[in-house]
Amino acid sequence: MQIGCHGSVWTGRFDDDGLRDAIERTAAAGFDLIEIPLMDTGLADPAVVRGRAEAAGLAVTASLGLSEDTDISSEHADVHAAGVARLLDCVEFLAEAGGTHLVGVIYCAMGKYTAPARELNWQRSADGIARVAQRGQELGVRVGLEVVNRYESNMLNTGRQASEFVDRVREHAGTDNVDVHLDTYHMNIEEPDMFFPVLDAGDRLGYVHIGESHRGYLGSGTVDFDSFFRALGRLGYDGPVVFESFSSVVVHPQMSSMLAIWRNLWSDGDDLAAHANRFIRGRLAAVGSIAEH
Ligand code: MN
């Protein structure tokens, strides 16, 4: 199992300098993996990222949220096509950077919709993700569909919805490299509890974000991490587990407005990340000790 950290703990600028700093500090905090936000794919050189991550001993994954202009669930053919092109660029970038998982709100735009998704939107999204998954399959990249709260998507708000959609997309794509991606911050808003959705996702669960209810220090909010980590243990989950936190101290202009990052919840990213690394490993060790006896 790889324990990782989201790049936004370190920087809001994902060019070569920003990523060098993020990679070094992720490794220093004790993590195995860095998740790179691909808001600006053009700013960094994937070969440089690959070399630095390898030197630091870190695995690489990447995430993004699509925008209104690149919404693959759109009924407008040009917007759908722009979204597919954007995601295919991201798959190529990630593969060149030595990465293994492309995740996030990549099945629709990340933001508040004013109407529910219609069947045409689901169809368009499934078509787009299938194409990305097929390219990912060729490059050794898995695709994770992140379940988020109602203010950030009108499609996948629960693990159950995501499981159904993942089955549909896997069949459509003819590949099995499409997974459910659960995030404790979003689950805490939408799911009935933190245990059963993990078991319900079952072997479709391929990626996990660990975030607190206010996205700050783990253990300082209302997320029921005990139940969540017990469920991971019961399931025997062994994919990436990635800490995600945002503060107005470290700001990517696009992301902060999309995710509503207005408050300063911490100012020392190094302390925050080292704490999260201990917190996650401690919980996993505890549930692991039960599973073995
Ligand atoms: Mn997340």
Side-chain angles (χ1 to χ4, degrees):
M1 190 182 279
Q2 289 168 318
I3 313 305
C5 186
H6 190 280
S8 289
V9 168
W10 311 113
T11 179
R13 211 175 148 69
F14 299 97
D15 54 10
D16 284 333
D17 286 344
L19 282 171
R20 179 179 53 214
D21 185 46
I23 287 167
E24 284 171 3
R25 290 165 79 186
T26 295
F31 290 100
D32 312 312
L33 177 155
I34 183 165
E35 179 182 313
I36 298 171
L38 290 181
M39 306 311 282
D40 306 305
T41 22
L43 291 178
D45 177 346
V48 171
V49 172
R50 180 184 202 130
R52 286 186 177 143
E54 276 175 9
L58 294 182
V60 174
T61 63
S63 60
L64 75 153
L66 293 173
S67 66
E68 268 179 45
D69 301 335
T70 54
D71 180 354
I72 65 166
S73 75
S74 171
E75 47 200 74
H76 300 291
D78 53 337
V79 175
H80 169 82
V84 172
R86 169 102 167 86
L87 292 176
L88 290 173
D89 275 352
C90 289
V91 172
E92 301 291 334
F93 179 98
L94 182 62
E96 283 175 44
T100 51
H101 295 68
L102 178 69
V103 302
V105 186
I106 56 178
Y107 48 88
C108 69
M110 184 165 70
K112 188 171 179 299
Y113 282 76
T114 53
R118 300 188 301 148
E119 175 51 27
L120 180 60
N121 303 119
W122 290 101
Q123 223 171 344
R124 285 284 168 83
S125 181
D127 287 345
I129 294 295
R131 287 188 54 193
V132 173
Q134 286 161 352
R135 185 63 184 135
Q137 184 86 344
E138 293 166 0
L139 296 172
V141 170
R142 299 195 69 81
V143 175
L145 308 183
E146 182 169 11
V147 182
V148 295
N149 72 72
R150 64 190 69 191
Y151 307 109
E152 296 181 35
S153 165
N154 64 351
M155 293 180 70
L156 302 184
N157 300 144
T158 68
R160 189 160 290 190
Q161 289 175 318
S163 289
E164 284 173 17
F165 191 58
V166 159
D167 288 344
R168 174 176 174 171
V169 175
R170 282 183 179 183
E171 196 181 328
H172 194 43
T175 68
D176 66 354
N177 62 329
V178 183
D179 299 319
V180 175
H181 166 188
L182 290 179
D183 178 319
T184 58
Y185 162 80
H186 297 288
M187 290 176 72
N188 187 55
I189 297 171
E190 300 291 353
E191 301 283 5
D193 64 74
M194 300 296 284
F195 187 83
F196 289 104
V198 173
L199 297 191
D200 289 345
D203 62 9
R204 302 180 197 87
L205 184 64
Y207 206 84
V208 166
H209 272 168
I210 301 296
E212 190 46 280
S213 52
H214 44 47
R215 295 200 183 259
Y217 269 76
L218 298 181
S220 68
T222 63
V223 170
D224 175 12
F225 286 114
D226 282 348
S227 294
F228 183 78
F229 281 105
R230 279 169 196 261
L232 289 186
R234 174 64 69 93
L235 187 62
Y237 175 80
D238 64 357
V241 176
V242 178
F243 173 56
E244 188 174 46
S245 181
F246 301 94
S247 173
S248 57
V249 169
V250 176
V251 165
H252 180 288
Q254 193 186 344
M255 209 185 298
S256 61
S257 55
M258 280 162 100
L259 299 177
I261 310 304
W262 316 128
R263 291 161 59 205
N264 177 5
L265 283 156
W266 45 262
S267 46
D268 183 345
D270 297 288
D271 186 65
L272 171 91
H275 172 269
N277 181 54
R278 290 192 304 270
F279 184 97
I280 293 169
R281 290 185 195 278
R283 296 296 173 113
L284 289 169
V287 298
S289 74
I290 295 300
E292 284 162 17
H293 294 96

